[in-house]
Amino acid sequence: MKWATREHIHIDRAACAWLIRRCIDPDAAFVFVTDPADVPADATPFDMRGVDLGHHGDDCSFETILRRHDLTDPVLWRIAEIIHEADLDDERYDAPEAPGLDAILRGLSMIGDDQHTLTITKPIFDGLYEYYHRAQMLGREPA
């Protein structure tokens, strides 16, 4: 399936793409556009103004995708708190990891195009998932 978002991805768009591939569409292909009017007819748009899979209420796009697809994994929701704070910085959650993750992703987006950013951020999100998954299993932060 084809998915579309704005070009020059940062935290929310990169995290959404990772979430889409991990939980919704493992074969997802991503298209990056400068204008929402340029979204191909056969693509599902995300993290753009006025689309279903965008910011709604106080939620960032990552949270919206979790809700729309009924993804209840508590590890994904913990990651959503970090993504939310990195993207919106509204202090809704206690997510001290947010500024660091945001800086890392912004820096990575400066050294390549959007496809490259998706490729190199995947292991970062995979690692976050594994860390919080193990923490949940152990009942404490992993060593």
Side-chain angles (χ1 to χ4, degrees):
M1 193 165 138
K2 198 180 292 183
W3 299 78
T5 193
R6 294 173 292 133
E7 64 182 3
H8 308 298
I9 63 173
H10 290 143
I11 189 78
D12 200 9
R13 281 169 275 161
C16 288
W18 171 81
L19 178 64
I20 289 164
R21 277 204 177 129
R22 182 177 182 94
C23 299
I24 299 165
D25 181 5
D27 298 319
F30 295 98
V31 176
F32 305 97
V33 299
T34 56
D35 186 319
D38 296 333
V39 172
D42 62 342
T44 301
F46 67 96
D47 199 35
M48 289 191 259
R49 289 188 192 279
V51 302
D52 184 50
L53 299 178
H55 288 223
H56 289 281
D58 293 332
D59 287 348
C60 68
S61 298
F62 191 90
E63 293 165 296
T64 297
I65 292 172
L66 288 174
R67 291 185 200 291
R68 296 290 193 274
H69 288 273
D70 296 318
L71 298 171
T72 59
D73 180 345
V75 175
L76 293 174
W77 280 97
R78 176 62 183 108
I79 292 170
E81 293 176 2
I82 299 167
I83 302 307
H84 177 102
E85 282 306 315
D87 192 45
L88 300 175
D89 192 22
D90 63 3
E91 299 180 6
R92 179 175 172 186
Y93 301 107
D94 178 27
E97 311 88 339
L101 182 61
D102 185 46
I104 289 166
L105 281 153
R106 284 182 188 277
L108 290 173
S109 74
M110 295 173 188
I111 62 170
D113 65 15
D114 290 328
Q115 289 294 346
H116 179 256
T117 301
L118 289 187
T119 299
I120 61 177
T121 58
K122 180 188 180 303
I124 293 170
F125 292 116
D126 286 342
L128 272 177
Y129 184 89
E130 188 59 29
Y131 180 85
Y132 289 110
H133 176 71
R134 287 187 191 195
Q136 181 184 36
M137 288 176 20
L138 294 170
R140 61 174 171 75
E141 290 187 3

